[in-house]
Amino acid sequence: MSDTVVTPGTEIEPKVERPRLHKVILLNDDYTPREFVVAVLKGEFRMTEDQAFNVMITAHKKGACVVAVFTRDVAETKATRATEAGRAKGYPLMFTTEPEE
Ligand code: TYC
């Protein structure tokens, strides 16, 4: 794909697009302990206790909560690692990703 757009009669405009960002979304479930969700959010997403608690309680009440946005690779890696942390303890904790609009 070309990185420039030539508009007749005007200067050449550089066209540099930012990579699309992807949301990491935490899904509620009925089994994972609240404290474990908070610990995973702190460990994988570098959140403070207060930030992690607020994300956890929002997912608990509403069913889901956006954790953060990253480039696609980073979002997918973090979602997979965080989901795996729950699976390793036998919990159904789930993180998904989706592209930002
Ligand atoms: N709903 C869980 C409970 O009551 C806690 C929880 C919160 C689990 C958020 C997942 O994404 C979640 N133990």
Side-chain angles (χ1 to χ4, degrees), residues 26-29 32-34 37 56 59-60 93:
L26 169 65
L27 303 182
N28 187 39
D29 67 72
T32 308
R34 291 180 181 203
V37 180
M56 180 280 295
H60 176 75
L93 183 64

Side-chain angles (χ1 to χ4, degrees), residues 2-53:
S2 169
D3 284 342
T4 58
V5 174
V6 181
T7 310
T10 67
E11 294 171 47
I12 294 173
E13 308 162 4
K15 184 190 171 201
V16 179
E17 294 184 2
R18 291 176 201 285
R20 204 168 177 201
L21 295 177
H22 288 241
K23 299 182 273 196
V24 174
I25 300 164
L26 169 65
L27 303 182
N28 187 39
D29 67 72
D30 291 339
Y31 304 102
T32 308
R34 291 180 181 203
E35 316 78 62
F36 184 79
V37 180
V38 170
V40 170
L41 289 168
K42 288 167 70 177
E44 187 62 42
F45 297 95
R46 308 262 130 222
M47 291 184 165
T48 65
E49 179 78 24
D50 281 6
Q51 289 169 334
F53 181 84

